[in-house]
Amino acid sequence: MSGKKLQSYIKRIIDIAASLIVLLVFLPLWITVAILIKVTSKGPVLFLQDRPGLNKEIFKVYKFRTMKPGSEKMVKGQEVTTDDDRVTTIGKLLRRTKIDEIPQVLNVLKGEMSLVGPRPERIASLADYDDVISKRLNMSPGMTGLAQVSGNIYLSLEDRYKFDIYYVENFSVWLDIKIILRTVGVVLLGEDRYVNKYLIDINHGTKEVAATKEETVSK
């Protein structure tokens, strides 16, 4: 088994184990959130939408509904912010804490997604993909990703794609672990705290590598 295949195998084991833990341990939270969504606004508890996954295979992504019914139409490259008037009161909290993404552990268990990977975009976005951007479809989409811990909504669409492609081309279990740990910080502190604080400098390599070079020069 090659190194990449072994890491992919380990990645899948981590996906299953972590998703089962989230599913079982946080079940009371799931139920509480579902009740709050139902009693505070009209519409279903879950939001389901077709998204392209690995090799453009279409699947339905699961999320807790955070927007008012009829608010599905989105602008390409424009993220929904918490002050958007289409977002429900409880939806603002769910988006800020990323709790709205929790149901995607079901997608992970089904093998449609991974804990870490490029975020799944809307099918309409595929029309604008070129050969380079299409590389982000060479791995399963993730609940979190390199772009999401590097500024996310504060990044341009072009830069988000660059982070996704870097991840696909440089994937490792260790990189996944670092992204997951940074995701915890994003959830606790907010995405704005990580603006211009990239986990990976996609133009010059990792910050750790840059630091090593500086130390070598100083010696």
Side-chain angles (χ1 to χ4, degrees):
M1 183 180 295
S2 66
K4 284 293 183 182
K5 285 186 177 180
L6 177 60
Q7 294 213 60
S8 294
Y9 180 72
I10 296 173
K11 178 183 177 73
R12 181 58 184 156
I13 292 176
I14 294 174
D15 281 346
I16 294 174
S19 295
L20 285 173
I21 291 173
V22 172
L23 181 63
L24 298 175
V25 174
F26 292 97
L27 184 58
L29 176 62
W30 283 61
I31 296 173
T32 301
V33 170
I35 293 173
L36 289 174
I37 292 174
K38 201 64 181 176
V39 301
T40 57
S41 65
K42 295 180 180 179
V45 169
L46 293 178
F47 172 72
L48 280 66
Q49 190 175 61
D50 288 340
R51 299 288 176 94
L54 177 64
N55 299 322
K56 295 185 180 181
E57 185 173 344
I58 306 301
F59 71 99
K60 289 190 180 297
V61 68
Y62 305 123
K63 296 180 69 173
F64 280 125
R65 182 176 60 82
T66 60
M67 301 179 71
K68 301 170 185 176
S71 302
E72 294 83 4
K73 187 175 181 180
M74 308 296 292
V75 178
K76 180 180 180 295
Q78 180 177 324
E79 295 290 332
V80 177
T81 57
T82 53
D83 59 354
D84 192 310
D85 59 9
R86 294 172 298 174
V87 179
T88 63
T89 301
I90 186 64
K92 293 178 181 180
L93 175 62
L94 298 181
R95 282 178 173 270
R96 165 61 184 81
T97 58
K98 306 299 182 184
I99 291 176
D100 62 316
E101 310 284 357
I102 287 182
Q104 287 166 32
V105 297
L106 299 175
N107 292 119
V108 175
L109 288 172
K110 292 168 66 176
E112 298 166 332
M113 292 181 64
S114 176
L115 292 178
V116 181
R119 286 293 296 159
E121 292 199 306
R122 294 166 184 81
I123 295 176
S125 297
L126 295 178
D128 299 318
Y129 278 25
D130 56 23
D131 290 341
V132 175
I133 298 174
S134 293
K135 290 181 180 180
R136 69 192 307 277
L137 300 171
N138 291 342
M139 290 193 73
S140 296
M143 292 182 65
T144 185
L146 187 56
Q148 283 61 53
V149 299
S150 302
N152 198 20
I153 63 174
Y154 298 96
L155 294 171
S156 66
L157 180 61
E158 180 182 5
D159 282 343
R160 270 179 270 161
Y161 284 157
K162 287 181 179 179
F163 277 109
D164 290 340
I165 294 166
Y166 179 95
Y167 172 79
V168 171
E169 294 180 338
N170 298 274
F171 153 73
S172 70
V173 172
W174 176 235
L175 179 56
D176 273 15
I177 293 173
K178 290 196 289 185
I179 291 173
I180 291 172
L181 292 176
R182 174 69 78 93
T183 299
V184 175
V186 171
V187 170
L188 295 177
L189 303 176
E191 292 176 341
D192 58 319
R193 293 290 294 273
Y194 293 90
V195 176
N196 297 322
K197 295 179 181 178
Y198 308 137
L199 183 63
I200 298 291
D201 185 338
I202 56 178
N203 294 315
H204 302 94
T206 65
K207 291 182 177 180
E208 291 84 357
V209 169
T212 300
K213 289 182 179 179
E214 290 177 2
E215 291 174 0
T216 300
V217 171
S218 65
K219 290 179 181 179

